[in-house]
Structures are given as C-alpha cells and as structure tokens.
Amino acid sequence: QVQLMESGGGSVQAGGSLTLSCGNSGDSFCISPMGWYRQAPGKERELVAAITSGGRINYGDSVKGRFTISRDNAKNTLYLQMNSLKPEDTAVYYCKGDRPPSQVFYCSEDLYLYDYWGPGTQVTVSS
C-alpha cells in the first residue's frame, strides 16, 4: 500500500523559509517519495525538484539556487528546503512517489506505469 503524506506547509512572508517533508505511511517497499511538484490555481502542475533512482537531481528553473531537495534513506523520507521564498512560490506542493533509490526487494515493473501522489500541502507566500 502506498500512502504518501506531505507536511510542513504554511504561510510565510516573502524572503522567509519553509521545509517540507514527505513519507510513506503505507507498507510498500517499492514506491518511495522521490520528488516534489507544485500547482498554483489555474496553472499546470510543474516540477520543483526530483531525485532519480540513480541519484540524479533535477530542479525546476524557477527554484534553482533557492530550494534544496534531499532524502534520509534510512527513514525513507524526502525533504524540500525552501529559502528566499517569493509570492510566486504560492501553490499546493505535492510529493511524488517513484522507484526507490536502492532496490532491496523485488518489485514488479508494472508498478512504475502509474503515478503516486500525496494529497498536497499548501504553501502561501505573502508580500
């Protein structure tokens, strides 16, 4: 079972910081929190930052130099440190599950045909 859950959202003033966390409260060993996406009202969901199973990190252009994605592999927890927040960062932030960084257990490749998302956490940045 996959049950991703984000935490750490809230309301801050421009220039402030927030740290988001995401874990899997389910019992799946095959899907781990690996990326952050966000969606503002009236806009498409966009990449914020993600880590591939091979350890490669990708950042969205708008957050480079301000946000940092990291994992605690022992706890299977994903983090997003957000600094120098801007009003344009206001959005619902979603945690995305994907292939784990290390394949300890056998997992069906069919699992990775689907998308796995948390319910999202609201981040609001005021000027």
Side-chain angles (χ1 to χ4, degrees), residues 28 54 63 126:
S28 175
V63 307
S126 60

Side-chain angles (χ1 to χ4, degrees), residues 2-4 8 11 19 23 26 29 34 46 49 59 62-64 68 72 74 87 90 104 121:
V2 178
Q3 188 171 344
L4 300 170
S11 181
T19 300
F29 295 100
M34 297 295 290
E46 66 176 355
Y59 288 100
S62 63
V63 307
K64 289 180 179 177
T68 302
D72 185 331
T90 296
V104 179
T121 186

Side-chain angles (χ1 to χ4, degrees), residues 44-99:
E44 296 292 316
R45 188 170 299 187
E46 66 176 355
L47 169 72
V48 177
I51 306 174
T52 71
S53 60
R56 184 171 63 255
I57 298 177
N58 299 310
Y59 288 100
D61 289 339
S62 63
V63 307
K64 289 180 179 177
R66 299 187 298 122
F67 293 8
T68 302
I69 187 172
S70 62
R71 295 194 91 254
D72 185 331
N73 291 332
K75 297 180 179 179
N76 197 22
T77 301
L78 186 71
Y79 302 96
L80 182 69
Q81 183 177 346
M82 303 183 292
N83 298 323
S84 302
L85 284 162
K86 305 174 181 179
E88 61 211 66
D89 295 317
T90 296
V92 177
Y93 284 70
Y94 297 93
C95 174
K96 185 179 182 182
D98 213 325
R99 193 184 302 270

Side-chain angles (χ1 to χ4, degrees), residues 4-28:
L4 300 170
M5 182 64 68
E6 305 92 344
S7 63
S11 181
V12 298
Q13 293 184 330
S17 298
L18 283 174
T19 300
L20 306 182
S21 301
C22 181
N24 183 8
S25 62
D27 57 3
S28 175

